[in-house]
Amino acid sequence: MSHAEALLVVDGLIVRYDGFMLHPVHLSVAPGERVALVGPNGAGKSTLLKAVLGRIPDHEGEIRVEGLPIRENVVRTRQRVGLLPETLLGYGWMPVNEHLDFLSRFQPNWDAQYAVQLLERLGIPTHTRIAALSRGQQVKLMFVAAEAFRPPLLLLDEPTSGLDPVVRNELLHTIDESLSANPGRSVIFSTHILEDVAALADRIVILVDGRLRMDIGKEELRKQNDGRPLTEILYQEFAPTC
Amino acid sequence: MLKRDHVEALIRVELRRVYPMALEMAGIVGGLLLLFIVFGKGDAENISAVLVGSTFGYIVLVPVAFSRDKIDGGLEFLCFLPTTPREIASARVAVAAIIACPGALQIALAFAIYGTRMYAVPNAPTAALILFLFAWSALTAASCVMLALISNFRLQTLLGMPLIAVGILLIGVPAVVRRFEAPINATLSGTVQHDNVLLAVAAFVVLLILGTLAITYVATVRGIATYRHGRDQI
């Protein structure tokens, strides 16, 4: 895949914080790819996702979405990339319907009908204040907010972390269905739940201590390990770091 | 370029949150005035003092809401939207200007009740209107100064030296005014009688307010652009 065809190109990304450094990261995501970003806490997964959305302006290296550098196109990038954040992003006092209406003002491709469908499907009450929602409902709402404008690239930061198995499966199923309905759309999701990787990803990127340790296709990894179940391979190979 | 839709949406959300607080404040002022009247202290001087003194509340509403946004992640939420620091800052300045209106109205009212007795004003309604406009822009500028400070500094830092400065200002300025009340009143009375002097003072004040607004706007944009949640919130 050439850089011209890639949906996302991360070229030599370096981020420096106090006591943390994301070492030069090179990553390219093609349309339709589902990438699992696996790594322990503090590995730099969220930092990488934030940088892709232009939230870390003082980074080094270049990030391009659909061929355009994000530095000069932050607003456009955020209209082409949906984010499900690790922690709640929104005003707790705002009811769900107002929150989505507010977001729709910034997204030209917002599909209000689709948003309502997703809310109904995921069982999120529309007139409840965000702060009054359960953790699971808040995560599902963040997914609706990220998905309602059908962005070509979805970034999901620890989407299933802290969810009970029922909600987790419901969310994973909805994510899978939404992406399958538009095969050209891609997703990068960070996780340390290996079952999620097996369920959703077709490519695995391992990040440890701010360094990209491995970038491999799911099938290739299986082949290299005599077709063993992916969770087993990941658990044996990478669990100590995750 | 500012996108009108974006700024409008940001203004609406901010107003939705701040206006109940502004209404509460107006209610408290009304209650205080009622108490003064009920207890027989409702003379022009007391009423004016309450009206003028309570305007400080309208200055701090928007900066305080902004400070809370820095702490609880509301600003982080806005920073992830397809918007720009300029749009976020513009919306806050606009809301500060809207919220300053009742404060300016109170000052104009105080002038109408008390000021017109103190100074020989040839055209009181026009003077009250001009005073309203001056007060409105000055209160907006004051709010913007606080907004710029809060967007650029941590709350911890702001609770240090600047707070001491504000304390000195709040105690010092009234003390100086009381000490020099007579010459100030004489000067003011003389000034309002001379159109040219009044015009020069007005032009200076307008320039001062515009300059303050411009500087604080740029500083607020910078503060928002460099804000990172988890690092700067307290």
Side-chain angles (χ1 to χ4, degrees):
Chain A
M1 176 187 52
S2 72
H3 276 186
E5 294 164 343
L7 185 60
L8 169 71
V9 175
V10 177
D11 196 4
L13 173 70
I14 300 172
V15 178
R16 289 187 178 90
Y17 290 144
D18 293 338
F20 172 79
M21 181 177 172
L22 190 65
H23 292 270
V25 172
H26 300 272
L27 185 72
S28 184
V29 178
E33 268 195 308
R34 298 178 178 193
V35 181
L37 198 57
V38 187
N41 289 334
K45 305 188 295 289
S46 298
T47 302
L48 175 58
L49 297 183
K50 279 181 183 175
V52 169
L53 266 176
R55 195 56 198 101
I56 303 177
D58 50 353
H59 68 77
E60 292 171 39
E62 193 176 50
I63 302 170
R64 290 192 294 279
V65 171
E66 295 179 317
L68 296 172
I70 62 154
R71 271 189 215 277
E72 297 82 28
N73 300 280
V74 174
V75 172
R76 187 196 175 276
T77 299
R78 292 177 189 166
Q79 289 172 340
R80 306 294 292 166
V81 180
L83 170 75
L84 189 164
E86 189 181 7
T87 50
L88 173 72
L89 280 184
Y91 291 119
W93 53 266
M94 208 181 243
V96 167
N97 55 339
E98 278 186 36
H99 173 71
L100 295 178
D101 182 56
F102 175 61
L103 293 178
S104 72
R105 312 281 168 170
F106 299 90
Q107 300 292 0
N109 296 324
W110 188 270
D111 185 342
Q113 211 176 346
Y114 182 43
V116 171
Q117 279 172 13
L118 286 169
L119 287 178
E120 282 172 3
R121 186 189 160 156
L122 294 166
I124 306 167
T126 49
H127 295 285
T128 306
R129 284 184 306 112
I130 295 176
L133 297 175
S134 67
R135 159 79 185 147
Q137 285 174 324
Q138 285 183 352
V139 173
K140 288 192 279 189
L141 174 63
M142 295 302 113
F143 173 70
V144 174
E147 170 64 13
F149 56 105
R150 294 189 180 87
L153 177 61
L154 264 179
L155 304 179
L156 313 177
D157 195 358
E158 306 272 4
T160 58
S161 176
L163 300 184
D164 66 62
V166 177
V167 176
R168 183 179 152 263
N169 283 336
E170 188 187 14
L171 185 65
L172 285 177
H173 189 64
T174 311
I175 294 168
D176 184 42
E177 266 197 12
S178 305
L179 291 168
S180 300
N182 302 86
R185 295 175 57 203
S186 306
V187 63
I188 303 176
F189 66 100
S190 71
T191 185
H192 47 246
I193 302 173
L194 301 179
E195 286 77 10
D196 290 0
V197 181
L200 210 60
D202 50 31
R203 183 175 152 200
I204 299 155
V205 172
I206 313 255
L207 207 59
V208 179
D209 291 334
R211 292 175 199 276
L212 209 151
R213 183 163 293 183
M214 185 177 281
D215 184 352
I216 189 167
K218 188 162 79 173
E219 291 311 314
E220 200 184 331
L221 189 64
R222 265 208 193 103
K223 272 183 206 164
Q224 284 178 7
N225 289 275
D226 306 321
R228 281 191 297 148
L230 196 70
T231 46
E232 196 183 305
I233 302 165
L234 287 170
Y235 186 75
Q236 281 185 356
E237 298 289 328
F238 312 117
T241 60
C242 299
Chain B
M1 268 299 278
L2 297 176
K3 285 192 178 163
R4 196 180 154 182
D5 287 1
H6 292 181
V7 178
E8 273 179 12
L10 291 164
I11 289 174
R12 231 175 279 134
V13 157
E14 192 53 23
L15 270 179
R16 166 105 161 65
R17 182 170 53 161
V18 176
Y19 93 88
M21 288 192 271
L23 279 180
E24 268 175 39
M25 198 165 290
I28 291 168
V29 173
L32 263 176
L33 291 178
L34 204 68
L35 279 176
F36 270 81
I37 292 163
V38 166
F39 288 102
K41 300 280 182 188
D43 54 74
E45 193 175 355
N46 282 340
I47 300 263
S48 301
V50 171
L51 287 173
V52 174
S54 58
T55 53
F56 183 72
Y58 297 102
I59 300 172
V60 298
L61 274 184
V62 175
V64 164
F66 188 82
S67 174
R68 204 171 61 182
D69 274 356
K70 277 183 81 173
I71 295 166
D72 68 11
L75 184 59
E76 182 73 351
F77 164 55
L78 298 180
C79 288
F80 267 108
L81 293 177
T83 183
T84 59
R86 284 179 62 200
E87 288 174 352
I88 298 170
S90 302
R92 297 290 165 133
V93 169
V95 174
I98 293 167
I99 295 296
C101 283
L105 198 65
Q106 285 180 199
I107 289 177
L109 261 175
F111 172 76
I113 294 168
Y114 186 63
T116 46
R117 293 183 187 184
M118 290 287 294
Y119 314 111
V121 183
N123 189 343
T126 310
L129 180 68
I130 292 169
L131 187 66
F132 169 79
L133 292 173
F134 271 129
W136 172 65
S137 44
L139 291 177
T140 304
S143 192
C144 288
V145 169
M146 292 182 80
L147 204 55
L149 286 171
I150 286 172
S151 64
N152 281 281
F153 297 100
R154 296 187 310 162
L155 205 58
Q156 234 176 354
T157 315
L158 288 175
L159 289 173
M161 288 307 288
L163 198 72
I164 294 167
V166 169
I168 291 169
L169 210 69
L170 286 178
I171 298 162
V173 170
V176 170
V177 169
R178 267 197 302 275
R179 170 73 180 80
F180 298 102
E181 202 172 357
I184 288 172
N185 280 342
T187 312
L188 280 174
S189 299
T191 303
V192 292
Q193 306 296 335
H194 297 96
D195 287 351
N196 289 341
V197 180
L198 197 62
L199 210 65
V201 171
F204 174 73
V205 173
V206 166
L207 282 176
L208 189 71
I209 289 169
L210 287 177
T212 306
L213 282 171
I215 292 165
T216 53
Y217 175 73
V218 171
T220 305
V221 171
R222 183 200 163 275
I224 295 169
T226 54
Y227 166 75
R228 217 182 267 169
H229 187 57
R231 189 188 63 177
D232 296 337
Q233 75 269 40
I234 42 176

